[in-house]
Amino acid sequence: MSLQDSKRYQTIGKPIPMLGARDKLTGTARFTDDIRLSRPLFVKILRSPYPSAHLKSIDISKAKKSKGVKAVITGKDIPNSFGVLPISKDECAMATGKVRYVGEPIAAVAAESLRDAVAALRLIKVKYEVLKPVLNIAQGLKKTKNPIHPELKREDNIHKSAHQSFGDPDKGFDGAKVVIERDFSFLSLSHGFTEPHSVQVEIKDDDELTVYSATQVPHYVHLALSEVLEIPLHKIRVIKPYLGGGFGGKSDPFPHEMIAARLALMTRRNIRLTLEREEVFFTHHGRHETQVKMKLGLDPGKGITALDGKMLIDGGAYGSFGIVTSYYNGVLLQGPYKIANFRFDCDRIYTNKPVCGAMRGHGGVNPRFASESLLDMACHELKIDPCEFRLEHFLEKNSLTANQFRITSVSIKKGLEKAMTKSGWKKKHRQLPYGKGIGVACGFFISGSALPIHWNKIPQSTARLTLDESGLAVIYSGASDIGQGSDTVLAQMVAEVLGLPMGMIKVVSADTALCPTDMGSYSSRVTFMAGNAARNASIQMRRTLVKAACQLLKIDEPPYPDPGKPMSFFRQGQRKPDFKKGFLGANPDYEDGFSFSEKKIISPANEELDYLEVVKKAMEENGTLQAKGCYLSPKMGGTHKGAGAGLSPSYSFTAFITEVDVNPLTGKVKVEKVTCAHDCGVPLNPLAVEGQLEGSIHMGLGQVLMEGLRYEHGVQQNASFLEYKIPSPFEQPEIEIILPDSDEQEGPFGAKEVGEGALAPFNPSVANAIFDAVAVRLFDLPITPDKVLDAIHKNNQKKD
Amino acid sequence: MLLSSFDYHRPTSLDELFDLIGLIKSQNESFSLYGGGTDLIANLKLSGESPDNLISCSRIEGLAGVRHDPNNNSLFIGAMTRLADLCEDRQVIKKCPVIALTAKKIASPQIRFLATLGGNLLVNTRCVYFNQTELKRDSLGSCLKTGGGSCRLVKSADTCKARFVSDLAPVLILLGAKLHLKSADEERTLMLEEFYRPDGIQKNHLTLGEILSFIEIPLDQPPKILYEKLRVRDAVDFASLGVGVGWNGKKMSAALETILIGTDPAPVVARFYLKDFKDIKEMIEHASNQASALLSPLKQDFFPVGYRKKMARQLVEKMARELTGKP
């Protein structure tokens, strides 16, 4: 289906304002900290001032007696470790025995007021034996007798080494016309979401906990709380209220959630705990500081003959998503071009710094900068047009990459062609006056991970739909709307299939007691996975209504073509890929001959029934109507070690053409115009798609030009929004968005990823444009004016 | 962050204010005065400490607004005039547009809506070791300004090296602005140029209990003035380097003045008389070299030391050429 065909849809493909937008704009939306529980205790956390130290003793006796204090806890009160990945549960809620980073929780006070809690915190006396910290990658690679995590039984601080090799990279380099190798470096980044981490815990009879948390992953928080606190899952209910941004920074279970729940159980009082901005920076879980050594071989006819990347990533003190990050640093280089000979090694290093984890574009962002820079350099050396080269060598639809990624739909070629036309590429590249430049870069990204974090065969998403005589359709989903529009897309699914206006859909989401299980909002999975589940539930509901309509009209039910597999719509993933037919029809014609539109249900013979009348008829047989849909990724991928990393049922593709102005006097770079072509399949809600792309560009802009955490002896120097430089509206460039015709056979109504993929290629498009403007290459992010100016001066000296 | 406890006062007249200050002093309590609070409150929150008394000047009558005095052709601007109002004020735009243009370069629209002219001239000096929370001061150790024994930037320094960051100061100094200071028993005036001290702690000559009431700007033959601000983002950020350049092209006493902020504890002022040079070109070259040489930036900013020095030279050169019409 093309975008044009989507006009036959009622809700799909239309610009629909986000559900809840009005509440947020008018300030009536309740975020976690806005919830008012009865008589809560306020919690403050004591944090380590040292990057590495033995905890000799913690004296909480005075704090306990302090005014208003109801409880003081330390690491020994929550001894069980946790981590978002079952394979690296290496973190405790509060340090026991040893602190591993500045800002690590050591103790927590619950008191009648915040003021009482702060006062008591100052009375806690900790004796430290300060240890020599490991503060960077180089120190972490050194042999040591005292590693940060001795349980790994290593003599260094390497947490994870990921390696993969396909084809024959060495031979590939031998056969190249040009081989380029360079070193790159990248600072660690914070997500910079607006709403700080926050948790409130309500305790009820029989020690039942309701945990309100600003989280992307209520399901994982639910599992972790149960395991860490050793209470059964059914005694815990996790609810995510309105959420003010996540970007990966709220996709782990966190110490403050464990601390709040433990304090609720100890004091039998409701608990309120919101982090301050500095604590958010300490809690971190942002993008890893990264060093890349990458080598690329190129032959204009054959394409990229080989690619070899060696990545070192600074993980900070604990695991988080780090094992996945290590693989993503490599495997997300396998597109968007054909690369038969490919190799990568990535080591994640533990250091005595705040924990790094997932951040928009997870693991793929920094290596993408390296590979796209090298590609630009190689094209420059061979004097070939970097756009034309790319057009020749993109991955093709229905193909496999060297590492066995199953590539289904690809529309990047069309996208880049359009971007070239719209931006005037041919007239600008290498032809603009000094100081003005234009650059290109491309990328791809997963639409959710095909392998769940917890290895099981339970569907990754389930959605439940109910209908009663009011006509209101209520969709229940565990998916977590973090501001990206997850609720809106689910409502769109129901509205489309049942022919209802958006106002007749209610979304109940991210509540572990009410909603079916969903893995949560990370790895750009919601539209694809939860969306498919919601669509499948809606189709099942539609069948119930069609049956009732047939009864009212006294006609036979339509002969569904595959009666033997009625569940096929409701549970995906059990079949092998069939590229010819596609999976289940991304754009179903529902196979019933009926038309559902504007609260009317119209039979194949054009007899019109009122929607509410049909609902009532259906309820005669069933009572309140219920339907369910699931999504489970199909089986795919190779058998090599780490084959599951980066596997996704479909991939998005992005092409950027970016124009910059570089001031040769100050070195300041202004990104003036961005032409962004993103293949997200069918854009279900173009308004939301544009928002996601503009957001990705803004976030990339920060990383490429100014953002980065600066450390002094393990202490974050710029842990505030004044000193951590997120671009202001003045820096945001003019953006033109191109959504090339595309259709993903397995995506709901043809959709795939849009939330993250665009970020990675934006960064190198800026660097490549800087080269076009002033003939200097920058290899270290952020590209600050001083670096640009230095490079220009060095360049001029060479010429002299 | 939570402010620690304090008594809050909002006097409505200067008499009331000075009575209050007298009372507080007699009880040996500490106090701070503030205008919009955008600087002071943020710093108090960071430090986790408060004075015993916080006094808001926002309700004191007669401290805000712009008035032109035709008798001696001066502009009088009240210290409590909000920056947002300064940007929009008709008289300021007509008679001294550079003030409005410079005020627009300060912080963000939201902050300018609260922040005042007086607050900007008295803004606290900034340093990576001072503008930090309690935990980080614990972690990295305190500095001179936070009660420690030595400066974290320059071990041997006996005065604080925190940076002076008022964007309006260079422009107002170039305009020859005079400060009207008032205390319970004295009124005095002081040239703005003589007001600041090269010490990040003892920042200026305001005495305890004295307030800045208004600023007087002479309008007869003001120099041509430009101000440029080097910062990472074109909103929000304090100056990494602020460059004010004034050019008075009168034949006999033609002079170029440069005033740089953002690097040192006080504005760095330099004056160059055309008669001392062969021609304007030589004067500009000398002035731009001096601009760089006179600065002592330290490792306390987003931009490296060398870059800020380089920018001082380049900006002065560019701006002086523009002012003198000698490109």
Side-chain angles (χ1 to χ4, degrees):
Chain A
M1 184 191 71
S2 73
L3 197 54
Q4 270 70 36
D5 294 336
S6 77
K7 280 178 184 149
R8 69 191 168 97
Y9 289 124
Q10 306 159 70
T11 313
I12 297 300
K14 307 289 187 292
I16 291 171
M18 298 280 189
L19 299 182
R22 184 186 297 259
D23 286 353
K24 288 180 186 169
L25 278 173
T26 55
T28 53
R30 290 206 310 170
F31 294 81
T32 300
D33 190 61
D34 295 325
I35 291 166
R36 290 291 172 265
L37 298 177
S38 162
R39 297 179 61 236
L41 293 175
F42 293 81
V43 178
K44 288 303 285 181
I45 296 172
L46 181 76
R47 294 174 183 273
S48 169
Y50 299 109
S52 179
H54 279 306
L55 290 170
K56 303 297 282 182
S57 66
I58 309 173
D59 180 0
I60 56 172
S61 55
K62 275 190 185 159
K64 269 182 155 173
K65 288 180 212 146
S66 182
K67 176 176 159 270
V69 171
K70 294 293 164 192
V72 183
I73 56 173
T74 62
K76 66 178 185 344
D77 295 300
I78 315 179
N80 294 336
S81 68
F82 61 92
V84 66
L85 303 182
I87 41 175
S88 66
K89 292 182 182 173
D90 59 0
E91 183 173 9
C92 287
M94 287 175 283
T96 45
K98 192 157 94 163
V99 288
R100 295 182 172 87
Y101 66 92
V102 174
E104 179 162 15
I106 292 174
V109 176
E112 295 288 355
S113 76
L114 209 49
R115 200 169 289 284
D116 290 345
V118 171
L121 216 56
R122 295 202 169 114
L123 300 174
I124 298 173
K125 294 291 167 237
V126 185
K127 277 191 187 151
Y128 302 92
E129 180 196 338
V130 177
L131 303 170
K132 194 179 172 206
V134 175
L135 295 177
N136 55 44
I137 289 171
Q139 289 174 8
L141 288 170
K142 278 188 194 154
K143 283 212 163 184
T144 174
K145 283 183 184 144
N146 300 302
I148 295 169
H149 287 278
E151 68 272 18
L152 290 185
K153 297 190 168 60
R154 293 185 65 109
E155 290 186 338
D156 55 27
N157 281 297
I158 294 176
H159 167 215
K160 171 74 190 174
S161 294
H163 317 279
Q164 286 182 0
S165 183
F166 304 96
D168 188 340
D170 296 327
K171 208 171 150 193
F173 288 122
D174 290 343
K177 281 267 189 305
V178 58
V179 176
I180 299 186
E181 184 172 6
R182 284 290 184 285
D183 293 328
F184 299 82
S185 76
F186 307 85
L187 292 184
S188 180
L189 297 187
S190 178
H191 311 84
F193 39 73
T194 315
E195 182 203 14
H197 300 279
S198 180
V199 61
Q200 298 211 44
V201 182
E202 190 171 19
I203 185 159
K204 290 184 182 156
D205 290 348
D206 207 19
D207 283 355
E208 279 182 13
L209 300 180
T210 303
V211 178
Y212 300 89
S213 186
T215 178
Q216 297 175 231
V217 287
H219 177 61
Y220 294 147
V221 172
H222 191 203
L223 296 178
L225 283 169
S226 167
E227 198 177 309
V228 171
L229 302 175
E230 298 176 15
I231 40 178
L233 283 165
H234 71 265
K235 291 259 192 182
I236 308 169
R237 174 181 181 187
V238 179
I239 298 174
K240 173 215 63 85
Y242 271 118
L243 191 123
F247 312 109
K250 293 171 183 166
S251 55
D252 297 60
F254 282 104
H256 61 269
E257 291 163 328
M258 312 297 154
I259 289 169
R262 168 58 77 217
L263 284 168
L265 289 167
M266 275 178 77
T267 59
R268 302 200 45 76
R269 289 275 298 273
N270 296 334
I271 297 290
R272 183 166 173 190
L273 168 51
T274 296
L275 300 193
E276 290 172 13
R277 182 56 60 186
E278 186 183 58
E279 294 181 289
V280 173
F281 274 97
F282 291 156
T283 303
H284 196 30
H285 287 67
R287 203 179 310 295
H288 291 61
E289 187 172 321
T290 307
Q291 294 171 6
V292 177
K293 181 185 268 308
M294 197 176 284
K295 187 171 164 185
L296 175 137
L298 190 135
D299 181 304
K302 293 186 230 158
I304 297 172
T305 60
L307 184 66
D308 186 356
K310 289 183 175 36
M311 275 66 76
L312 295 168
I313 61 175
D314 181 342
Y318 295 101
S320 181
F321 277 94
I323 291 174
V324 177
T325 319
S326 307
Y327 276 108
Y328 278 11
N329 261 270
V331 299
L332 291 180
L333 287 165
Q334 272 278 285
Y337 320 105
K338 286 173 260 184
I339 308 174
N341 305 308
F342 171 68
R343 178 167 63 209
F344 79 88
D345 304 84
C346 179
D347 287 342
R348 182 179 192 262
I349 323 292
Y350 280 128
T351 58
N352 290 113
K353 291 197 289 202
V355 187
C356 292
M359 180 170 164
R360 204 176 200 171
H362 190 188
V365 173
N366 295 339
R368 172 67 44 198
F369 182 88
S371 66
E372 293 291 311
S373 295
L374 293 178
L375 190 51
D376 204 63
M377 293 165 79
C379 289
H380 183 77
E381 196 158 320
L382 292 172
K383 297 188 173 58
I384 54 177
D385 184 313
C387 281
E388 296 290 349
F389 174 84
R390 284 172 168 84
L391 288 174
E392 291 299 309
H393 299 289
F394 282 130
L395 288 167
E396 278 164 31
K397 67 176 181 182
N398 301 338
S399 64
L400 286 177
T401 64
N403 65 342
Q404 306 281 300
F405 285 175
R406 190 193 61 151
I407 303 299
T408 51
S409 57
V410 188
S411 275
I412 177 117
K413 197 171 171 183
K414 276 185 275 185
L416 180 56
E417 281 167 349
K418 274 195 181 169
M420 288 168 71
T421 311
K422 292 250 181 183
S423 64
W425 168 265
K426 285 278 178 195
K427 282 188 196 145
K428 290 178 179 167
H429 186 234
R430 292 175 193 153
Q431 293 156 65
L432 293 170
Y434 186 75
K436 299 271 183 193
I438 188 166
V440 60
C442 301
F444 85 130
F445 202 69
I446 58 175
S447 302
S449 172
L451 281 193
I453 285 174
H454 296 265
W455 285 56
N456 58 44
K457 291 180 180 170
I458 300 169
Q460 291 140 327
S461 286
T462 302
R464 189 157 54 85
L465 180 63
T466 64
L467 262 187
D468 64 19
E469 66 263 42
S470 73
L472 182 75
V474 185
I475 181 90
Y476 297 81
S477 161
S480 184
D481 195 317
I482 59 173
Q484 87 280 43
S486 141
D487 284 353
T488 310
V489 81
L490 299 181
Q492 268 189 285
M493 297 292 148
V494 185
E496 183 60 47
V497 176
L498 299 183
L500 296 175
M502 287 290 279
M504 288 189 77
I505 321 293
K506 167 118 184 110
V507 183
V508 177
S509 62
D511 179 331
T512 59
L514 295 184
C515 303
T517 302
D518 186 282
M519 305 291 131
S521 286
Y522 60 95
S523 76
S524 285
R525 57 178 296 285
V526 173
T527 294
F528 201 95
M529 296 185 176
N532 260 324
R535 189 203 62 164
N536 296 346
S538 307
I539 293 172
Q540 197 189 42
M541 182 63 83
R542 183 177 167 118
R543 290 196 175 178
T544 304
L545 295 180
V546 165
K547 187 179 171 193
C550 291
Q551 287 166 356
L552 284 171
L553 294 169
K554 298 190 170 58
I555 57 174
D556 289 339
E557 270 189 75
Y560 296 111
D562 197 359
K565 290 181 184 169
M567 291 306 285
S568 62
F569 269 125
F570 318 130
R571 183 177 172 113
Q572 285 179 242
Q574 297 304 302
R575 289 181 279 169
K576 285 187 177 171
D578 180 344
F579 289 131
K580 277 185 190 148
K581 287 184 193 159
F583 255 40
L584 294 162
N587 317 298
D589 65 1
Y590 309 117
E591 300 164 336
D592 55 23
F594 275 73
S595 154
F596 282 50
S597 176
E598 291 171 16
K599 294 193 276 175
K600 298 276 182 242
I601 293 173
I602 302 152
S603 76
N606 249 344
E607 292 151 300
E608 195 176 291
L609 291 168
D610 181 62
Y611 160 71
L612 286 179
E613 186 191 347
V614 177
V615 171
K616 275 187 188 158
K617 178 69 190 168
M619 285 180 67
E620 285 175 9
E621 200 170 303
N622 303 294
T624 292
L625 306 180
Q626 296 218 41
K628 193 183 75 179
C630 298
Y631 179 82
L632 180 66
S633 294
K635 286 197 177 78
M636 56 178 92
T639 52
H640 53 276
K641 188 159 193 247
L647 273 186
S648 175
S650 84
Y651 297 86
S652 74
F653 294 87
T654 320
F656 277 106
I657 292 185
T658 298
E659 293 165 66
V660 301
D661 173 87
V662 184
N663 184 334
L665 184 73
T666 61
K668 197 162 182 175
V669 176
K670 167 84 184 146
V671 178
E672 294 192 316
K673 171 91 197 274
V674 177
T675 309
C676 167
H678 185 80
D679 167 17
C680 61
V682 173
L684 302 181
N685 182 353
L687 202 61
V689 165
E690 283 175 22
Q692 284 299 316
L693 294 173
E694 286 163 4
S696 292
I697 290 166
H698 182 260
M699 218 158 183
L701 191 72
Q703 177 173 19
V704 75
L705 294 183
M706 52 189 76
E707 282 182 46
L709 284 168
R710 287 151 201 269
Y711 285 90
E712 178 178 352
H713 200 70
V715 185
Q716 287 171 351
Q717 269 194 340
N718 54 345
S720 74
F721 276 171
L722 180 59
E723 301 302 339
Y724 182 86
K725 309 292 185 185
I726 294 170
S728 80
F730 286 104
E731 281 76 42
Q732 186 75 344
E734 181 193 342
I735 295 169
E736 178 154 0
I737 283 168
I738 294 163
L739 303 173
D741 282 355
S742 175
D743 193 9
E744 170 52 49
Q745 285 298 303
E746 295 178 34
F749 295 101
K752 49 187 184 177
E753 188 275 341
V754 71
E756 301 184 70
L759 195 155
F762 174 71
N763 295 352
S765 78
V766 174
N768 292 343
I770 293 173
F771 178 76
D772 192 50
V774 289
V776 298
R777 277 278 165 210
L778 282 306
F779 302 101
D780 308 303
L781 294 193
I783 299 176
T784 49
D786 49 296
K787 291 182 192 169
V788 177
L789 202 61
D790 278 351
I792 290 174
H793 285 176
K794 274 183 198 147
N795 226 12
N796 291 345
Q797 278 164 7
K798 260 192 249 165
K799 280 179 203 159
D800 298 341
Chain B
M1 268 154 274
L2 209 57
L3 286 170
S4 50
S5 302
F6 54 85
D7 287 335
Y8 180 64
H9 311 275
R10 207 155 50 167
T12 54
S13 70
L14 284 174
D15 288 344
E16 196 186 327
L17 170 73
F18 293 126
D19 286 349
L20 178 68
I21 291 175
L23 186 71
I24 291 169
K25 277 183 170 173
S26 72
Q27 290 168 344
N28 279 329
E29 289 186 356
S30 61
F31 66 95
S32 288
L33 293 155
Y34 72 94
T38 54
D39 184 46
L40 180 84
I41 304 293
N43 278 325
L44 291 181
K45 283 189 169 188
L46 270 187
S47 72
E49 289 163 12
S50 302
D52 302 323
N53 298 274
L54 266 187
I55 307 172
S56 164
C57 297
S58 62
R59 293 277 174 93
I60 298 174
E61 253 178 71
L63 287 186
V66 180
R67 180 171 62 87
H68 178 236
D69 181 354
N71 293 332
N72 59 358
N73 194 21
S74 294
L75 211 54
F76 286 81
I77 309 180
M80 284 298 293
T81 307
R82 297 182 311 170
L83 297 180
D85 295 333
L86 211 51
C87 297
E88 307 280 316
D89 189 90
R90 275 194 194 175
Q91 295 197 78
V92 170
I93 290 170
K94 196 171 155 198
K95 300 195 190 300
C96 270
V98 68
I99 294 178
L101 290 173
T102 305
K104 252 189 186 164
K105 290 183 178 166
I106 298 169
S108 64
Q110 293 92 329
I111 291 171
R112 291 198 293 269
F113 203 68
L114 278 172
T116 61
L117 167 63
N120 186 261
L121 292 175
L122 299 172
V123 70
N124 208 340
T125 51
R126 300 189 63 80
C127 176
V128 279
Y129 295 98
F130 170 64
N131 302 107
Q132 294 293 6
T133 55
E134 207 179 342
L135 179 101
K136 278 192 270 183
R137 291 175 189 182
D138 284 352
S139 184
L140 290 173
S142 9
C143 65
L144 282 178
K145 193 163 174 159
T146 55
S150 65
C151 173
R152 307 276 312 170
L153 288 163
V154 184
K155 284 255 149 46
S156 60
D158 47 12
T159 56
C160 169
K161 299 292 179 192
R163 309 183 295 127
F164 178 86
V165 291
S166 163
D167 290 303
L168 281 166
V171 167
L172 292 174
I173 292 172
L174 288 168
L175 285 165
K178 199 188 281 176
L179 303 178
H180 289 249
L181 306 171
K182 204 168 165 37
S183 59
D185 31 53
E186 199 193 353
E187 266 193 75
R188 58 174 181 141
T189 58
L190 191 63
M191 293 302 289
L192 180 58
E193 188 179 338
E194 288 155 18
F195 181 60
Y196 297 110
R197 298 160 63 155
D199 178 343
I201 298 169
Q202 302 295 327
K203 302 176 286 287
N204 53 51
H205 291 282
L206 198 70
T207 57
L208 190 69
E210 194 174 38
I211 65 153
L212 169 60
S213 55
F214 52 91
I215 292 101
E216 180 184 347
I217 301 158
L219 293 175
D220 283 333
Q221 299 179 315
K224 287 200 283 179
I225 295 171
L226 290 174
Y227 179 73
E228 287 216 21
K229 179 173 180 177
L230 181 76
R231 51 181 162 170
V232 183
R233 301 172 286 195
D234 285 336
V236 184
D237 289 339
F238 285 98
S240 290
L241 172 72
V243 180
V245 181
W247 167 241
N248 189 334
K250 276 181 292 184
K251 271 191 181 159
M252 293 306 287
S253 58
L256 189 74
E257 267 186 275
T258 62
I259 301 179
L260 288 86
I261 59 131
T263 54
D264 290 57
V268 177
V269 182
R271 242 175 227 102
F272 309 91
Y273 294 96
L274 182 55
K275 62 179 169 55
D276 298 334
F277 299 91
K278 196 171 74 190
D279 54 14
I280 288 185
K281 192 173 164 238
E282 194 191 80
M283 177 186 70
I284 291 177
E285 198 183 313
H286 183 72
S288 36
N289 283 335
Q290 278 300 101
S292 173
L294 290 171
L295 291 189
S296 321
L298 297 163
K299 280 188 186 172
Q300 43 166 200
D301 187 66
F302 181 91
F303 291 116
V305 168
Y307 179 73
R308 282 182 288 159
K309 284 198 149 224
K310 211 180 284 173
M311 283 305 101
R313 179 190 293 119
Q314 301 208 0
L315 288 174
V316 166
E317 187 181 339
K318 187 189 84 154
M319 292 157 75
R321 280 181 178 172
E322 193 178 329
L323 285 170
T324 55
K326 302 277 173 187

